[in-house]
């Protein structure tokens, strides 16, 4: 059986439970830094599937770090918060379920690939930028690669993000600061 076949079998075997977790999150949304039940459900699922889980993590009550394997670190981000008054309009319930499913599927081949799989529970994305807190706390310091999935109507590896504009700017002349180095 190939690694691709192993991971596909793993995902197929956990599909019903992942859908159940996603629906539970949708029906019981928790806003940023209050994702206590959600964080527990996601972390417990990963423990049940052989991960070592640290919870809370990086100084954030609802963040968690779940790891299996050793070697270069592959981080899969599990966003989990809901929008106040709206719920899971951005699909974080789907993102979280996909992240733990991907983590468990990759864990099935982690030893053969020589990688450490880390599922990182990332709280407070909607209103507070929880990943910034995690970056500042060192959560990504050893990551060789970090990824997440986001629901969409199409499959895209490198989406054209319409909420961000990229500019290339070239400065010429002398550096200066109005008060320090006029």
């Amino acid at each position: 059986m190939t690694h691709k076949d192993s991971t596909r079998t793993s995902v197929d075997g956990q599909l019903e439970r992942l859908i159940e977790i996603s629906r539970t999150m949708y029906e019981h949304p928790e806003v940023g830094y209050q994702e206590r039940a959600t964080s527990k459900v996601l972390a417990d699922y990963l423990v049940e599937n052989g991960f070592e889980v640290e919870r809370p993590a990086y100084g954030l009550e609802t963040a968690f770090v779940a790891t299996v394997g050793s070697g270069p670190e592959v981080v899969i981000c599990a966003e989990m918060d809901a929008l106040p008054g709206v719920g899971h309009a951005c699909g974080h319930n789907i993102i979280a379920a996909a992240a733990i499913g991907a983590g468990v599927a990759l864990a099935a081949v982690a030893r053969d690939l020589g990688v450490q799989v880390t599922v990182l529970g990332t709280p407070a994305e909607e209103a507070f930028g929880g990943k910034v807190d995690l970056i500042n706390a060192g959560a990504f310091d050893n990551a060789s690669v970090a990824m997440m999935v986001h629901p969409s109507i199409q499959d895209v590896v490198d989406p054209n993000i319409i909420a961000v504009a990229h500019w290339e700017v070239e400065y010429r002349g002398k550096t200066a600061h109005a008060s320090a180095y006029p």
Side-chain angles (χ1 to χ4, degrees):
M1 183 179 287
T2 68
H3 291 145
K4 187 175 181 179
D5 293 334
S6 296
T7 55
R8 180 174 287 135
T9 299
S10 176
V11 170
D12 289 345
Q14 56 179 324
L15 190 56
E16 284 184 36
R17 180 71 176 118
L18 293 172
I19 291 170
E20 178 186 320
I21 289 170
S22 176
R23 285 187 179 147
T24 298
M25 288 177 65
Y26 184 82
E27 292 165 0
H28 304 282
E30 296 175 300
V31 296
Y33 296 124
Q34 297 177 31
E35 314 95 330
R36 291 172 189 91
T38 298
S39 177
K40 182 177 180 347
V41 165
L42 298 172
D44 288 351
Y45 183 80
L46 291 163
V47 167
E48 292 166 15
N49 284 278
F51 282 75
E52 290 184 29
V53 175
E54 177 186 342
R55 187 175 158 269
Y58 296 103
L60 301 176
E61 179 188 355
T62 56
F64 65 83
V65 179
T67 59
V68 68
S70 63
E73 185 180 24
V74 176
V75 177
I76 304 170
C77 297
E79 294 182 352
M80 61 182 122
D81 63 321
L83 289 161
V86 178
H88 281 289
C90 290
H92 289 189
N93 58 310
I94 298 167
I95 293 170
I100 63 174
V104 171
L106 187 54
V109 296
R111 180 173 293 152
D112 289 346
L113 296 176
V115 298
Q116 174 180 307
V117 179
T118 299
V119 179
L120 181 62
T122 61
E125 284 304 307
E126 292 298 348
F128 304 107
K131 280 195 208 75
V132 174
D133 294 335
L134 291 167
I135 289 168
N136 291 336
F140 295 93
D141 285 358
N142 296 318
S144 295
V145 63
M147 66 184 87
M148 64 171 279
V149 299
H150 200 289
S152 177
I153 58 171
Q154 56 187 337
D155 291 337
V156 180
V157 173
D158 188 16
N160 180 17
I161 306 297
I162 59 174
V164 175
H166 295 272
W167 295 80
E168 188 171 316
V169 178
E170 185 176 326
Y171 293 94
R172 298 172 196 251
K174 291 185 175 183
T175 59
H177 185 279
S179 65
Y181 306 100

